[in-house]
Amino acid sequence: MDLNTPLTDNELQELDGFLASDDVPDDCMDIAMLHGFLTAIAIGPAIVRPSEWIPVIWGKGEPEFESLEDANRILQLVTRLLNSTITILQDDPEEFAPILYEVDAVDGERNVGEEEWCEGFALGIQLRLEEWKPALYNDEAVSWLAPIAAFTDDEALADFTSGSGGPKVTREDLSAMIPLCVTNLYDYWKEQRTRRGEGFTPDQFPYGSRKIGRNEPCSCGSGKKYKKCCGAVQ
């Protein structure tokens, strides 16, 4: 499987279903939060390795998989979502759009709001906060972060929508700004990413080039063998 291939609608539904299932901790990310989280990792100034970001997806616990094949399948879907986000921002940034919904097999898309996506984005920044700090002191970069930050803070959102301290904008206006904010931030960090090496290599995604052996150390960084951690068979 080419891990740069975008997820199909059915695959996105499959991943969303797993994230919403009883096989993950209660505080596991939903698909919208996951996409925001991966987007921040994709556009940021520093590489974040899977051993750092994978555990954050699940929350305070660990997922349960029925088989090693199922574990590899889910981790490959997550990797493809990240890789395809990187690819679209590199090659066709005007097509970037945040996932602001969950997928329902019966009723279609379920809106979960911008808060989840923006909370995930903020968690992605937190993984490399020191490297992100220059953007927090740059007026232009702050203006791109502001609409995203507003959805993570009720008071900030109220200030925007009431016009307190600036032009009055609607929630819909702020939501529509998110894609442009992301592409501008992607460009803002472009030079630094070029210095570190644009894109990600296969060894940074251990699920990319091969399946994980059951007796290998788990790449989530727990220190356990894969079969006792993310690859646990329940």
Side-chain angles (χ1 to χ4, degrees):
M1 168 62 69
D2 180 358
L3 290 198
N4 290 314
T5 303
L7 300 186
T8 65
D9 289 343
N10 286 340
E11 288 171 332
L12 192 61
Q13 181 176 304
E14 177 185 354
L15 179 56
D16 174 57
F18 178 77
L19 296 174
S21 73
D22 294 334
D23 294 327
V24 298
D26 291 340
D27 57 346
C28 177
M29 293 183 181
D30 59 29
I31 194 69
M33 186 179 294
L34 174 62
H35 189 238
F37 180 64
L38 296 179
T39 298
I41 292 171
I43 71 174
I47 290 172
V48 184
R49 296 186 179 277
S51 59
E52 298 175 80
W53 59 259
I54 289 174
V56 182
I57 296 172
W58 313 127
K60 296 178 181 178
E62 297 175 354
E64 299 177 354
F65 298 104
E66 294 183 1
S67 68
L68 178 60
E69 289 73 21
D70 286 344
N72 276 298
R73 170 66 175 171
I74 293 300
L75 293 170
Q76 286 174 357
L77 291 177
V78 172
T79 300
R80 284 172 56 199
L81 184 58
L82 173 55
N83 285 351
S84 60
T85 299
I86 294 170
T87 299
I88 197 168
L89 288 167
Q90 286 177 344
D91 300 339
D92 200 5
E94 291 184 359
E95 293 301 314
F96 174 82
I99 297 174
L100 301 178
Y101 58 86
E102 293 176 336
V103 184
D104 191 296
V106 177
D107 300 324
E109 297 177 1
R110 306 191 303 275
N111 182 40
V112 295
E114 291 77 5
E115 284 82 0
E116 288 82 357
W117 192 94
C118 294
E119 182 180 348
F121 191 92
L123 288 172
I125 290 178
Q126 286 293 324
L127 290 179
R128 286 293 181 272
L129 183 58
E130 285 301 314
E131 288 82 357
W132 273 86
K133 278 186 177 179
L136 305 181
Y137 298 99
N138 179 284
D139 290 344
E140 194 171 33
V142 166
S143 71
W144 301 325
L145 285 165
I148 297 173
F151 283 110
T152 68
D153 184 288
D154 290 341
E155 289 186 8
L157 184 60
D159 286 343
F160 269 105
T161 55
S162 67
S164 175
K168 183 177 180 179
V169 296
T170 66
R171 178 189 176 94
E172 290 72 22
D173 291 333
L174 286 172
S175 180
M177 293 176 190
I178 291 176
L180 183 59
C181 291
V182 167
T183 55
N184 282 336
L185 288 166
Y186 176 84
D187 289 339
Y188 177 81
W189 291 120
K190 188 171 185 178
E191 182 178 348
Q192 188 154 334
R193 285 196 308 273
T194 300
R195 289 199 300 269
R196 77 180 188 199
E198 181 70 47
F200 295 83
T201 60
D203 66 299
Q204 290 159 353
F205 292 106
Y207 312 108
S209 57
R210 59 179 177 82
K211 291 186 177 181
I212 307 168
R214 287 179 55 73
N215 290 310
E216 293 183 57
C218 189
S219 292
C220 77
S222 67
K224 301 177 183 179
K225 288 185 177 181
Y226 185 62
K227 65 182 179 182
K228 296 292 187 179
C229 190
C230 291
V233 180
Q234 302 299 317

